[in-house]
Amino acid sequence: MNQDLQVTIPTAAMQGESASKEGNGPSLFVSTNEDLVAKPGSDQDSWFLVGNLESARGTLYLLVHYLYVTSPTGNSWLAAMVSLLDPKTNKYIAEEQDFPDEQCTLSTEKFEVITPIASASGTAAGMNFKGCWSKAGIEVDVTAQQTGSLLPNLGNGLFPALGGMTYHYALPTMSITGTVSIGGEKYDVTGGGWLDRQWGVTPRFFGTELKKWVWFGISLDDGDRISVWEFIEADRPVHSWATVVRPDGGVDVVACDPLTANASNPWKSPETGHIYPINWDIRMPQLDGHLIIRPDVIEQEFVSPAGMHKYEGFSAITGTLRGKPVTGRVIIELVADWL
């Protein structure tokens, strides 16, 4: 962590009530089920499900994301988002619809997020994500069940970000079943998934300062699950690290070489004009790791009606970890214009 980074301490109401209750080992600031509920006081509150799903149409790479945002002016809205990489057309499809909070339900008693077009509810033992995005022509009704270990980012689920503190954990090994419709054609789907849960206060997110971040959610075929972060402010990486959950449930937190130093192949969006580097090399010297991202489909930008454009790309990943060859899948998130 950069020692110059200034942080603020979140209120107790935002913290995981069940900190340190998740098994043995280091204390945690997050709890798998109790922290699925909405967090009042957060300026960003996020539920994010990725699925690598098999269907009669081929392998579908699906993302469903609910993001509740409160701006410094007090305006609040809930964004219901979906994206899909369609193997039949080799095209990326995405849609976001934003709703004022009075049209939505965000329960603080149980995991229940409801918008006029989509919802999510349940527990880690069985949660349902469903919705209908008419413009994209995507309808989703899937159930996800935790089958692997908790991934607490930075080892305890709490880290400084953009002048505040962010709580972040993942259930990176999920089993998913259900249906996905594309253009009116419904498909039964089964496969694996990743549930990402994040909330907190990030004062500099809404400021005028130049800032951006990259995040990777990596599922390796050997069972390793890796969450990688880098924040950049004023064109300077603030911190870069990876949280690795091994197949045996053990957690490694390691530094990464600056990610932007190993990024290349910039792509300019024809819709927003934003530029994103789409080739990435992730180097983790402590784990003798070098992971390589080269998306087959370049155009995977998520265009937001609220102006929060981002690159949410699906890709294969190859390379080495602990000196051995590895393969897998990754979700790529690049926020802001990377010009």
Side-chain angles (χ1 to χ4, degrees):
M1 299 297 171
N2 189 302
Q3 295 181 352
D4 295 333
L5 183 64
Q6 299 297 311
V7 302
T8 57
I9 303 302
T11 64
M14 292 170 53
Q15 299 181 22
E17 294 295 333
S18 296
S20 305
K21 290 186 179 179
E22 293 280 352
N24 299 317
S27 296
L28 300 179
F29 290 95
V30 294
S31 172
T32 299
N33 279 307
E34 294 190 31
D35 286 330
L36 285 172
V37 304
K39 299 295 183 179
S42 298
D43 59 19
Q44 296 186 69
D45 206 354
S46 171
W47 300 262
F48 181 105
L49 179 69
V50 176
N52 299 332
L53 309 174
E54 296 304 321
S55 75
R57 192 181 181 99
T59 303
L60 304 177
Y61 300 110
L62 174 72
L63 167 63
V64 180
H65 186 194
Y66 302 99
L67 175 64
Y68 184 73
V69 177
T70 302
S71 72
T73 62
N75 294 329
S76 299
W77 67 93
L78 199 154
M81 295 173 269
V82 70
S83 66
L84 185 143
L85 192 58
D86 181 2
K88 189 173 183 179
T89 62
N90 207 32
K91 296 291 186 180
Y92 180 78
I93 311 166
E95 182 182 350
E96 173 183 335
Q97 290 196 34
D98 299 335
F99 301 96
D101 52 6
E102 61 266 22
Q103 295 182 14
C104 305
T105 297
L106 284 168
S107 175
T108 59
E109 302 296 325
K110 59 184 178 180
F111 175 36
E112 187 174 67
V113 178
I114 302 174
T115 78
I117 64 162
S119 65
S121 61
T123 69
M127 58 182 68
N128 178 250
F129 281 69
K130 66 189 302 182
C132 181
W133 288 263
S134 56
K135 183 179 178 181
I138 298 174
E139 188 169 353
V140 175
D141 188 352
V142 297
T143 298
Q145 180 180 13
Q146 181 185 9
T147 57
S149 300
L150 173 75
L151 188 159
N153 274 266
L154 204 61
N156 62 13
L158 178 66
F159 56 85
L162 301 176
M165 297 293 285
T166 288
Y167 294 87
H168 187 196
Y169 70 90
L171 306 179
T173 307
M174 306 285 286
S175 175
I176 297 179
T177 60
T179 61
V180 175
S181 297
I182 306 170
E185 298 183 19
K186 181 180 286 189
Y187 300 92
D188 293 328
V189 296
T190 60
W194 176 303
L195 186 281
D196 221 58
R197 177 75 179 102
Q198 185 178 351
W199 72 95
V201 172
T202 51
R204 289 204 289 271
F205 178 80
F206 292 100
T208 58
E209 303 92 342
L210 179 63
K211 70 277 182 185
K212 50 198 172 190
W213 71 77
V214 55
W215 172 77
F216 302 120
I218 300 168
S219 299
L220 295 182
D221 295 331
D222 67 3
D224 282 300
R225 301 292 183 262
I226 309 173
S227 177
V228 180
W229 276 100
E230 180 170 276
F231 289 92
I232 300 96
E233 297 192 57
D235 279 335
R236 179 176 63 90
V238 177
H239 46 268
S240 314
W241 82 94
T243 306
V244 183
V245 173
R246 303 188 300 271
D248 64 5
V251 178
D252 297 311
V253 179
V254 298
C256 296
D257 289 351
L259 298 173
T260 49
N262 295 303
S264 60
N265 194 18
W267 168 70
K268 184 175 182 179
S269 164
E271 292 195 59
T272 66
H274 281 200
I275 294 177
Y276 306 95
I278 60 168
N279 289 357
W280 296 83
D281 286 50
I282 305 168
R283 299 180 185 274
M284 298 174 284
Q286 291 167 277
L287 294 180
D288 192 13
H290 178 201
L291 302 178
I292 302 166
I293 299 172
R294 303 288 186 269
D296 293 329
V297 177
I298 293 175
E299 297 185 7
Q300 297 192 67
E301 184 187 37
F302 208 115
V303 179
S304 165
M308 300 170 65
H309 312 309
K310 50 195 172 292
Y311 192 92
E312 297 276 15
F314 304 97
S315 177
I317 191 167
T318 60
T320 58
L321 187 67
R322 305 181 189 96
K324 297 180 180 179
V326 292
T327 57
R329 298 294 306 179
V330 57
I331 180 74
I332 308 162
E333 180 173 88
L334 310 177
V335 174
D337 187 351
W338 290 69
L339 177 64

